[in-house]
mmCIF file of all heavy atoms in Angstrom:
data_model
loop_
_atom_site.group_PDB
_atom_site.id
_atom_site.type_symbol
_atom_site.label_atom_id
_atom_site.label_comp_id
_atom_site.label_asym_id
_atom_site.label_seq_id
_atom_site.Cartn_x
_atom_site.Cartn_y
_atom_site.Cartn_z
ATOM 1 N N ALA A 418 55.896 144.262 161.957
ATOM 2 C CA ALA A 418 56.568 142.974 162.181
ATOM 3 C C ALA A 418 57.837 142.796 161.365
ATOM 4 O O ALA A 418 58.829 142.327 161.859
ATOM 5 C CB ALA A 418 55.577 141.851 161.859
ATOM 6 N N ALA A 419 57.809 143.257 160.092
ATOM 7 C CA ALA A 419 58.963 143.197 159.247
ATOM 8 C C ALA A 419 60.070 144.108 159.788
ATOM 9 O O ALA A 419 61.262 143.772 159.830
ATOM 10 C CB ALA A 419 58.628 143.557 157.837
ATOM 11 N N PHE A 420 59.655 145.290 160.263
ATOM 12 C CA PHE A 420 60.649 146.255 160.777
ATOM 13 C C PHE A 420 61.339 145.706 162.018
ATOM 14 O O PHE A 420 62.559 145.883 162.206
ATOM 15 C CB PHE A 420 59.960 147.597 161.091
ATOM 16 C CG PHE A 420 60.849 148.529 161.752
ATOM 17 C CD1 PHE A 420 61.803 149.232 160.999
ATOM 18 C CD2 PHE A 420 60.793 148.852 163.113
ATOM 19 C CE1 PHE A 420 62.671 150.151 161.570
ATOM 20 C CE2 PHE A 420 61.640 149.736 163.722
ATOM 21 C CZ PHE A 420 62.580 150.388 162.959
ATOM 22 N N GLU A 421 60.571 145.025 162.851
ATOM 23 C CA GLU A 421 61.145 144.481 164.087
ATOM 24 C C GLU A 421 62.173 143.410 163.742
ATOM 25 O O GLU A 421 63.191 143.303 164.471
ATOM 26 C CB GLU A 421 60.032 143.893 164.975
ATOM 27 C CG GLU A 421 59.128 144.931 165.654
ATOM 28 C CD GLU A 421 59.913 145.867 166.538
ATOM 29 O OE1 GLU A 421 60.881 145.438 167.258
ATOM 30 O OE2 GLU A 421 59.634 147.114 166.551
ATOM 31 N N LEU A 422 61.936 142.596 162.704
ATOM 32 C CA LEU A 422 62.907 141.627 162.309
ATOM 33 C C LEU A 422 64.212 142.305 161.844
ATOM 34 O O LEU A 422 65.295 141.864 162.214
ATOM 35 C CB LEU A 422 62.353 140.743 161.150
ATOM 36 C CG LEU A 422 61.535 139.518 161.529
ATOM 37 C CD1 LEU A 422 61.067 138.828 160.276
ATOM 38 C CD2 LEU A 422 62.296 138.533 162.385
ATOM 39 N N LEU A 423 64.048 143.332 161.008
ATOM 40 C CA LEU A 423 65.242 144.041 160.578
ATOM 41 C C LEU A 423 65.987 144.713 161.689
ATOM 42 O O LEU A 423 67.210 144.733 161.753
ATOM 43 C CB LEU A 423 64.824 145.090 159.497
ATOM 44 C CG LEU A 423 64.337 144.545 158.141
ATOM 45 C CD1 LEU A 423 63.744 145.637 157.292
ATOM 46 C CD2 LEU A 423 65.479 143.899 157.424
ATOM 47 N N LYS A 424 65.196 145.267 162.628
ATOM 48 C CA LYS A 424 65.843 145.931 163.787
ATOM 49 C C LYS A 424 66.660 144.916 164.580
ATOM 50 O O LYS A 424 67.782 145.194 165.040
ATOM 51 C CB LYS A 424 64.710 146.519 164.672
ATOM 52 C CG LYS A 424 65.223 147.309 165.848
ATOM 53 C CD LYS A 424 64.065 147.918 166.633
ATOM 54 C CE LYS A 424 64.521 148.698 167.861
ATOM 55 N NZ LYS A 424 63.365 149.234 168.646
ATOM 56 N N GLY A 425 66.109 143.711 164.778
ATOM 57 C CA GLY A 425 66.823 142.661 165.462
ATOM 58 C C GLY A 425 68.129 142.252 164.757
ATOM 59 O O GLY A 425 69.030 141.682 165.371
ATOM 60 N N ALA A 426 68.154 142.460 163.419
ATOM 61 C CA ALA A 426 69.341 142.174 162.676
ATOM 62 C C ALA A 426 70.363 143.300 162.545
ATOM 63 O O ALA A 426 71.352 143.258 161.838
ATOM 64 C CB ALA A 426 68.988 141.678 161.248
ATOM 65 N N GLY A 427 70.056 144.410 163.323
ATOM 66 C CA GLY A 427 70.995 145.550 163.355
ATOM 67 C C GLY A 427 70.676 146.648 162.424
ATOM 68 O O GLY A 427 71.451 147.591 162.277
ATOM 69 N N TYR A 428 69.501 146.655 161.822
ATOM 70 C CA TYR A 428 69.117 147.729 160.912
ATOM 71 C C TYR A 428 68.346 148.805 161.690
ATOM 72 O O TYR A 428 67.734 148.488 162.738
ATOM 73 C CB TYR A 428 68.244 147.195 159.786
ATOM 74 C CG TYR A 428 68.978 146.299 158.807
ATOM 75 C CD1 TYR A 428 69.463 145.061 159.158
ATOM 76 C CD2 TYR A 428 69.226 146.758 157.523
ATOM 77 C CE1 TYR A 428 70.127 144.252 158.223
ATOM 78 C CE2 TYR A 428 69.917 145.978 156.575
ATOM 79 C CZ TYR A 428 70.372 144.733 156.959
ATOM 80 O OH TYR A 428 71.021 144.010 156.060
ATOM 81 N N HIS A 429 68.391 150.049 161.222
ATOM 82 C CA HIS A 429 67.607 151.083 161.868
ATOM 83 C C HIS A 429 67.242 152.168 160.817
ATOM 84 O O HIS A 429 67.878 152.239 159.751
ATOM 85 C CB HIS A 429 68.383 151.715 163.008
ATOM 86 C CG HIS A 429 69.646 152.445 162.587
ATOM 87 N ND1 HIS A 429 70.804 151.801 162.250
ATOM 88 C CD2 HIS A 429 69.888 153.767 162.458
ATOM 89 C CE1 HIS A 429 71.743 152.717 161.930
ATOM 90 N NE2 HIS A 429 71.184 153.918 162.044
ATOM 91 N N VAL A 430 66.284 152.979 161.173
ATOM 92 C CA VAL A 430 65.852 154.054 160.276
ATOM 93 C C VAL A 430 66.386 155.424 160.786
ATOM 94 O O VAL A 430 66.272 155.681 161.940
ATOM 95 C CB VAL A 430 64.279 154.098 160.168
ATOM 96 C CG1 VAL A 430 63.818 155.315 159.368
ATOM 97 C CG2 VAL A 430 63.770 152.787 159.545
ATOM 98 N N GLU A 431 66.907 156.138 159.833
ATOM 99 C CA GLU A 431 67.407 157.467 160.178
ATOM 100 C C GLU A 431 67.055 158.437 159.018
ATOM 101 O O GLU A 431 67.335 158.197 157.870
ATOM 102 C CB GLU A 431 68.945 157.406 160.341
ATOM 103 C CG GLU A 431 69.578 158.681 160.875
ATOM 104 C CD GLU A 431 71.067 158.503 161.106
ATOM 105 O OE1 GLU A 431 71.407 157.571 161.878
ATOM 106 O OE2 GLU A 431 71.838 159.240 160.520
ATOM 107 N N ASP A 432 66.322 159.533 159.417
ATOM 108 C CA ASP A 432 65.859 160.537 158.437
ATOM 109 C C ASP A 432 65.010 159.817 157.352
ATOM 110 O O ASP A 432 65.113 160.154 156.161
ATOM 111 C CB ASP A 432 67.044 161.245 157.813
ATOM 112 C CG ASP A 432 67.813 162.074 158.808
ATOM 113 O OD1 ASP A 432 67.189 162.579 159.793
ATOM 114 O OD2 ASP A 432 69.040 162.195 158.657
ATOM 115 N N GLY A 433 64.258 158.857 157.793
ATOM 116 C CA GLY A 433 63.319 158.167 156.840
ATOM 117 C C GLY A 433 63.959 157.117 155.942
ATOM 118 O O GLY A 433 63.315 156.589 155.068
ATOM 119 N N ARG A 434 65.256 156.812 156.175
ATOM 120 C CA ARG A 434 65.994 155.865 155.320
ATOM 121 C C ARG A 434 66.365 154.642 156.195
ATOM 122 O O ARG A 434 66.909 154.839 157.303
ATOM 123 C CB ARG A 434 67.189 156.468 154.668
ATOM 124 C CG ARG A 434 66.904 157.722 153.823
ATOM 125 C CD ARG A 434 68.123 158.261 153.169
ATOM 126 N NE ARG A 434 68.611 157.369 152.115
ATOM 127 C CZ ARG A 434 69.770 157.577 151.433
ATOM 128 N NH1 ARG A 434 70.547 158.568 151.790
ATOM 129 N NH2 ARG A 434 70.100 156.771 150.459
ATOM 130 N N MET A 435 66.250 153.456 155.659
ATOM 131 C CA MET A 435 66.709 152.273 156.315
ATOM 132 C C MET A 435 68.194 152.144 156.138
ATOM 133 O O MET A 435 68.737 152.216 155.020
ATOM 134 C CB MET A 435 66.014 151.027 155.746
ATOM 135 C CG MET A 435 66.386 149.702 156.414
ATOM 136 S SD MET A 435 65.781 149.584 158.103
ATOM 137 C CE MET A 435 64.027 149.371 157.816
ATOM 138 N N LEU A 436 68.913 151.987 157.258
ATOM 139 C CA LEU A 436 70.354 151.834 157.251
ATOM 140 C C LEU A 436 70.717 150.446 157.733
ATOM 141 O O LEU A 436 70.118 149.917 158.624
ATOM 142 C CB LEU A 436 71.000 152.867 158.123
ATOM 143 C CG LEU A 436 70.720 154.326 157.813
ATOM 144 C CD1 LEU A 436 71.483 155.264 158.778
ATOM 145 C CD2 LEU A 436 71.049 154.699 156.375
ATOM 146 N N ASP A 437 71.759 149.826 157.100
ATOM 147 C CA ASP A 437 72.184 148.477 157.485
ATOM 148 C C ASP A 437 73.090 148.598 158.761
ATOM 149 O O ASP A 437 73.360 149.720 159.270
ATOM 150 C CB ASP A 437 72.926 147.806 156.320
ATOM 151 C CG ASP A 437 74.256 148.472 155.974
ATOM 152 O OD1 ASP A 437 74.776 149.235 156.815
ATOM 153 O OD2 ASP A 437 74.757 148.201 154.849
ATOM 154 N N PRO A 438 73.550 147.459 159.277
ATOM 155 C CA PRO A 438 74.340 147.517 160.542
ATOM 156 C C PRO A 438 75.587 148.365 160.452
ATOM 157 O O PRO A 438 76.107 148.833 161.444
ATOM 158 C CB PRO A 438 74.673 146.062 160.784
ATOM 159 C CG PRO A 438 73.507 145.273 160.170
ATOM 160 C CD PRO A 438 73.212 146.060 158.941
ATOM 161 N N GLU A 439 76.128 148.587 159.231
ATOM 162 C CA GLU A 439 77.291 149.432 159.042
ATOM 163 C C GLU A 439 76.962 150.897 158.853
ATOM 164 O O GLU A 439 77.848 151.739 158.652
ATOM 165 C CB GLU A 439 78.154 148.933 157.894
ATOM 166 C CG GLU A 439 78.961 147.677 158.144
ATOM 167 C CD GLU A 439 78.045 146.444 158.222
ATOM 168 O OE1 GLU A 439 77.118 146.313 157.374
ATOM 169 O OE2 GLU A 439 78.258 145.618 159.118
ATOM 170 N N GLY A 440 75.668 151.187 158.863
ATOM 171 C CA GLY A 440 75.247 152.596 158.653
ATOM 172 C C GLY A 440 75.044 152.993 157.225
ATOM 173 O O GLY A 440 74.826 154.180 156.905
ATOM 174 N N ASN A 441 75.091 152.050 156.273
ATOM 175 C CA ASN A 441 74.898 152.335 154.879
ATOM 176 C C ASN A 441 73.443 152.272 154.487
ATOM 177 O O ASN A 441 72.737 151.408 155.001
ATOM 178 C CB ASN A 441 75.707 151.378 153.990
ATOM 179 C CG ASN A 441 77.203 151.411 154.302
ATOM 180 O OD1 ASN A 441 77.770 152.507 154.385
ATOM 181 N ND2 ASN A 441 77.787 150.273 154.528
ATOM 182 N N PRO A 442 72.954 153.098 153.594
ATOM 183 C CA PRO A 442 71.541 153.018 153.144
ATOM 184 C C PRO A 442 71.304 151.632 152.510
ATOM 185 O O PRO A 442 72.100 151.114 151.764
ATOM 186 C CB PRO A 442 71.426 154.122 152.068
ATOM 187 C CG PRO A 442 72.530 155.081 152.394
ATOM 188 C CD PRO A 442 73.677 154.251 152.942
ATOM 189 N N PHE A 443 70.125 151.081 152.913
ATOM 190 C CA PHE A 443 69.814 149.743 152.433
ATOM 191 C C PHE A 443 68.714 149.856 151.327
ATOM 192 O O PHE A 443 67.645 150.453 151.528
ATOM 193 C CB PHE A 443 69.222 148.898 153.596
ATOM 194 C CG PHE A 443 68.829 147.509 153.125
ATOM 195 C CD1 PHE A 443 69.768 146.611 152.584
ATOM 196 C CD2 PHE A 443 67.514 147.102 153.286
ATOM 197 C CE1 PHE A 443 69.343 145.323 152.189
ATOM 198 C CE2 PHE A 443 67.098 145.813 152.894
ATOM 199 C CZ PHE A 443 68.037 144.925 152.299
ATOM 200 N N GLY A 444 69.049 149.322 150.210
ATOM 201 C CA GLY A 444 68.131 149.334 149.052
ATOM 202 C C GLY A 444 68.588 148.359 147.993
ATOM 203 O O GLY A 444 69.671 147.780 148.121
ATOM 204 N N PHE A 445 67.824 148.207 146.941
ATOM 205 C CA PHE A 445 68.221 147.326 145.863
ATOM 206 C C PHE A 445 67.419 147.600 144.616
ATOM 207 O O PHE A 445 66.476 148.432 144.613
ATOM 208 C CB PHE A 445 67.989 145.831 146.270
ATOM 209 C CG PHE A 445 66.634 145.506 146.784
ATOM 210 C CD1 PHE A 445 65.569 145.185 145.920
ATOM 211 C CD2 PHE A 445 66.354 145.507 148.153
ATOM 212 C CE1 PHE A 445 64.294 144.937 146.406
ATOM 213 C CE2 PHE A 445 65.096 145.211 148.675
ATOM 214 C CZ PHE A 445 64.069 144.901 147.783
ATOM 215 N N GLU A 446 67.868 146.975 143.537
ATOM 216 C CA GLU A 446 67.284 147.160 142.217
ATOM 217 C C GLU A 446 66.547 145.875 141.796
ATOM 218 O O GLU A 446 67.045 144.773 141.978
ATOM 219 C CB GLU A 446 68.366 147.455 141.181
ATOM 220 C CG GLU A 446 67.887 147.573 139.743
ATOM 221 C CD GLU A 446 68.997 147.701 138.783
ATOM 222 O OE1 GLU A 446 69.577 146.667 138.306
ATOM 223 O OE2 GLU A 446 69.406 148.895 138.510
ATOM 224 N N ILE A 447 65.327 146.078 141.296
ATOM 225 C CA ILE A 447 64.539 144.939 140.747
ATOM 226 C C ILE A 447 64.586 145.044 139.220
ATOM 227 O O ILE A 447 64.261 146.060 138.629
ATOM 228 C CB ILE A 447 63.062 145.001 141.211
ATOM 229 C CG1 ILE A 447 62.987 144.979 142.750
ATOM 230 C CG2 ILE A 447 62.276 143.848 140.608
ATOM 231 C CD1 ILE A 447 61.579 145.129 143.286
ATOM 232 N N MET A 448 65.029 143.956 138.589
ATOM 233 C CA MET A 448 65.075 143.858 137.171
ATOM 234 C C MET A 448 63.746 143.336 136.637
ATOM 235 O O MET A 448 63.241 142.346 137.158
ATOM 236 C CB MET A 448 66.203 142.902 136.697
ATOM 237 C CG MET A 448 67.350 143.642 136.048
ATOM 238 S SD MET A 448 68.714 142.580 135.512
ATOM 239 C CE MET A 448 68.201 140.923 135.677
ATOM 240 N N THR A 449 63.171 143.974 135.606
ATOM 241 C CA THR A 449 61.890 143.525 135.004
ATOM 242 C C THR A 449 62.068 143.470 133.483
ATOM 243 O O THR A 449 62.925 144.138 132.899
ATOM 244 C CB THR A 449 60.731 144.445 135.364
ATOM 245 O OG1 THR A 449 60.993 145.758 134.773
ATOM 246 C CG2 THR A 449 60.595 144.634 136.869
ATOM 247 N N SER A 450 61.196 142.642 132.854
ATOM 248 C CA SER A 450 61.279 142.487 131.431
ATOM 249 C C SER A 450 59.972 142.722 130.717
ATOM 250 O O SER A 450 59.805 142.442 129.524
ATOM 251 C CB SER A 450 61.792 141.081 131.064
ATOM 252 O OG SER A 450 60.943 140.097 131.564
#
Side-chain angles (χ1 to χ4, degrees):
F420 176 75
E421 289 300 321
L422 275 179
L423 290 170
K424 185 178 177 181
Y428 290 70
H429 66 282
V430 174
E431 188 175 303
D432 297 328
R434 303 182 72 185
M435 181 69 71
L436 304 181
D437 67 17
E439 285 72 42
N441 302 310
F443 178 61
F445 53 85
E446 177 186 87
I447 302 176
M448 250 179 11
T449 65
S450 61

